Amino acid sequence: MVVVLAGCGPSEKPVALPPEADVSPVSSQPEEVADPTEEPTTGPAEDAKSPKATPTKTKAVKKKTPARPVPTPKPVKTSTRPKPTPKPSSTRPTPKPSQAPPVGSTTMNSREEQVFVLTNAERAKAGCPALRREPKLVISARAHSKDMAVNNYFSHTSQDGSSPWDRIKRTGYTGGAAENIAAGYTSAKAVMDGWMNSAGHRANILNCDLKALGVGWYDNYWTQNFGRS
């Protein structure tokens, strides 16, 4: 990733540096019961001529025993209540915030606010007073970051020839004093480290005479606009 920095003051020229189933009822058929058959029986028969008698075989009489009916089992009732269908959630997804606020917004987003806080932290180390947030400088800074990102260039001078002071004046702010720009840095800390390691950018950040700051970010293009009032 290529990162680049550039900073300028009011008297400097622009500089650019590289860096769910059915259930049927259950049924059964009656069982068949076999008829019991009596075994043949034998018994003595008396003969008038002889006291002795030879036993004769008599045919056994089969008695039919009526079969007892087997009761048919009643169908088994099975609970087939369907499971309740879950209702769809009524929670709506939270829309994702846009990457960058509208250019005309005067409220700094999280990235811009981080740069603002880090800038004042560096100034405190150097004994400089904290800068105040200036909404008009936020507008001019963010507009320039977006212009560079959309038109793919990197310079203090806009493609229409506008200087930092021209862009700042268009917002109605007349105390423009300095501008820092950078591209390619993915976090507030990274861009601040880059600026603090560059003499010109560091000088703007630590200028104790400056009183206001607006930070603009768009698609990893960064701009700081400083003011004297």
Side-chain angles (χ1 to χ4, degrees), residues 20 64 90 108 134 159 196:
E20 173 171 21
K64 293 183 179 181
S90 60
M108 288 187 283
E134 172 49 57
Q159 291 185 317
M196 291 302 291

Side-chain angles (χ1 to χ4, degrees), residues 159-180:
Q159 291 185 317
D160 65 357
S162 300
S163 70
W165 331 124
D166 296 328
R167 295 190 297 268
I168 292 173
K169 284 180 180 178
R170 288 177 195 152
T171 68
Y173 184 85
T174 58
E179 178 179 84
N180 284 345

Side-chain angles (χ1 to χ4, degrees), residues 100-124:
V103 171
S105 172
T106 60
T107 303
M108 288 187 283
N109 65 15
S110 61
R111 294 179 181 88
E112 297 163 346
E113 184 67 24
Q114 286 174 38
V115 168
F116 180 85
V117 171
L118 291 171
T119 298
N120 276 333
E122 293 294 344
R123 288 173 64 83

